[in-house]
């Protein structure tokens, strides 16, 4: 018997299905965060869309199934998903497979017409792209294997910033009827333990053809691609540096203000208490500032690096696009020094306060003024209070003799983006007259509104940090 799903459906609890399931065209089945669906080894025939929509705290689970789409555009997408003991059968299927921040264990994934695996972990799993193409990035293959057959002029498989840790073969590139494969590998990490060699981990049968690719040691980086200071983390699963075959050099700080500098190797720097300065230098490093106002120093200009906020709190990935500094994961680091200017990331501290003051008093465009941002950060870091700084900003922007009415009108315009009504303006002016607020506290109220924070977000501060010059 086959269960045919003809209406959009969301599954929010644990469900065991002992029959084949068919998802009709145009229909979306969603497995919600914390839910788990067990197919008991039965088939899923998808003509529509199957979504695993979890969160970093609660994955959405699918287990014990065989999935195929036949010749349809069926989509299977998992965001923070958990796939256990599943088979995606690409031999008789078209459609698309999209995995983002997903854990796949004890499974086999055959390539569909379009394949994308991003920031995921595969455990004891085979990924057979076959003659299909796709993109794999930021993904860890632990005791797992990826295979690609050759197909002259066929779809390209791109694999970047991914980790391969396997006792046996991790990558198999095999010609198909002596046709070359179309593969691009870049900045991936391959664990080769002592007593082993590159050839025991990578089989590249295209070496003699030299047509589309040639995998060798240069195709892999010296360090793993991480997404957390602990290593690789997806939801409740964490693979430590040791799980990735890494024994880094560890540098530890003290209770005082420390200067901790690494070298060309992979380092883990734990600064601890104090206002510390850390330099990862070469290699893929992990820097944890601990408590205090901590700084990471980079040799190049800001444009030579990409900075990305990660799912873990107060965690940033820094990727050097040139040179040897590699990919670093940083936690609890408030300041980033580059050769041309600096970036502040303490959004719950001085950086966030400075951005809110600039937006409310000067207008959101003022957040991009690196000199003014530097003045605000220096003042707060030196002990000036929020109220004292915003009062200083008011005097700098409007002068000490500005009227209550003009001040209210300008603050409102900066925050809301439109003038206040007469009633709104007079209400706030009256609060100043009767002493409910003074000018500093009224400005703080404006700066702390949701509308003002949305202006800060529009200027990119939560994602990119607050850029400044001292």
């Amino acid at each position: 018997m086959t269960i045919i799903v003809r209406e959009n459906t969301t599954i929010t609890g644990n469900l065991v299905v002992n029959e084949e399931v068919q998802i009709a065209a145009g229909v979306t089945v969603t497995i919600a965060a914390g839910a788990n669906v067990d197919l008991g080894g039965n088939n899923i025939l998808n003509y529509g869309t199957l979504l695993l929509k979890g969160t970093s705290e609660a994955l959405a689970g699918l287990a014990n199934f065989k999935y195929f789409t036949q010749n349809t555009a069926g989509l299977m997408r998992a965001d923070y998903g958990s796939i256990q003991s599943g088979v995606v059968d690409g031999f008789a299927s078209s459609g698309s497979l999209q995995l983002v921040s997903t854990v796949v264990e004890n499974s086999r994934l055959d390539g569909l017409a379009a394949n994308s695996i991003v920031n995921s972990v595969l455990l004891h799993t085979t990924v057979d792209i076959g003659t299909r193409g796709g993109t794999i990035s930021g993904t860890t293959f632990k005791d797992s294997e990826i295979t690609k057959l050759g197909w002259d002029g066929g779809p390209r498989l791109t694999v970047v910033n991914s980790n391969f840790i396997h006792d046996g073969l991790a990558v198999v590139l095999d010609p198909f009827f002596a046709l070359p494969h179309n593969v691009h590998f870049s900045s991936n990490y391959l664990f080769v333990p002592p007593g082993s060699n590159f050839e025991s981990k990578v089989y590249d049968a295209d070496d003699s053809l030299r047509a589309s690719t040639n995998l060798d040691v240069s195709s892999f980086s010296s360090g793993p691609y991480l997404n957390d200071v602990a290593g690789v983390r997806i939801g409740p699963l964490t693979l430590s540096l040791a799980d990735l075959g890494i024994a880094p050099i560890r540098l530890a700080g003290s209770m005082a203000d420390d200067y901790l500098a690494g070298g060309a190797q992979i380092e883990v720097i734990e600064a601890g208490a104090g206002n510390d300065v850390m330099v990862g230098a070469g290699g893929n490093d992990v820097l944890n500032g601990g408590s205090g106002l901590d700084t990471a120093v980079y040799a190049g200009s800001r444009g030579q690096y990409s900075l990305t906020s990660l799912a873990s709190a107060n965690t940033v990935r820094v990727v050097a696009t040139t040179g040897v500094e590699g990919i670093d994961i940083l936690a609890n680091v408030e300041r980033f020094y580059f050769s041309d200017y600096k970036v502040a990331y303490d959004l719950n501290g001085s950086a966030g306060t400075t951005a809110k003051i600039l937006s409310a008093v000067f207008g959101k465009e003022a957040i991009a003024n690196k000199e003014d941002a530097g003045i605000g950060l220096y003042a707060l870091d030196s002990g000036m209070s929020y109220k004292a700084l915003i009062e200083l900003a008011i005097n700098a922007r409007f002068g000490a003799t500005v009227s209550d009415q003009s001040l209210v009108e300008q603050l409102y315009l900066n925050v809301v983006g439109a003038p206040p009504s007469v009633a709104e303006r007079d209400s706030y002016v009256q609060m100043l007259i009767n002493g409910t607020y003074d000018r500093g506290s009224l400005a703080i109220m404006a700066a702390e509104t949701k509308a003002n924070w949305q202006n800060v977000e529009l200027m990119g501060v939560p994602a990119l940090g607050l850029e400044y010059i001292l």
Side-chain angles (χ1 to χ4, degrees), residues 290-324:
S291 59
L293 186 66
D294 302 302
T295 300
V297 179
Y298 288 90
S301 64
R302 171 65 181 85
Q304 294 175 303
Y305 305 85
S306 67
L307 276 67
T308 306
S309 296
L310 301 179
S312 299
N314 304 318
T315 304
V316 177
R317 177 189 291 120
V318 178
V319 179
T321 56
T322 62
V324 298

Side-chain angles (χ1 to χ4, degrees), residues 58 117 128 131 135 194 197 205 245 352 358 360 383 402 415 423 448 463:
I117 305 176
D128 187 354
T131 60
T135 301
N197 55 40
L358 289 171
V402 64
V415 170
E448 289 297 322

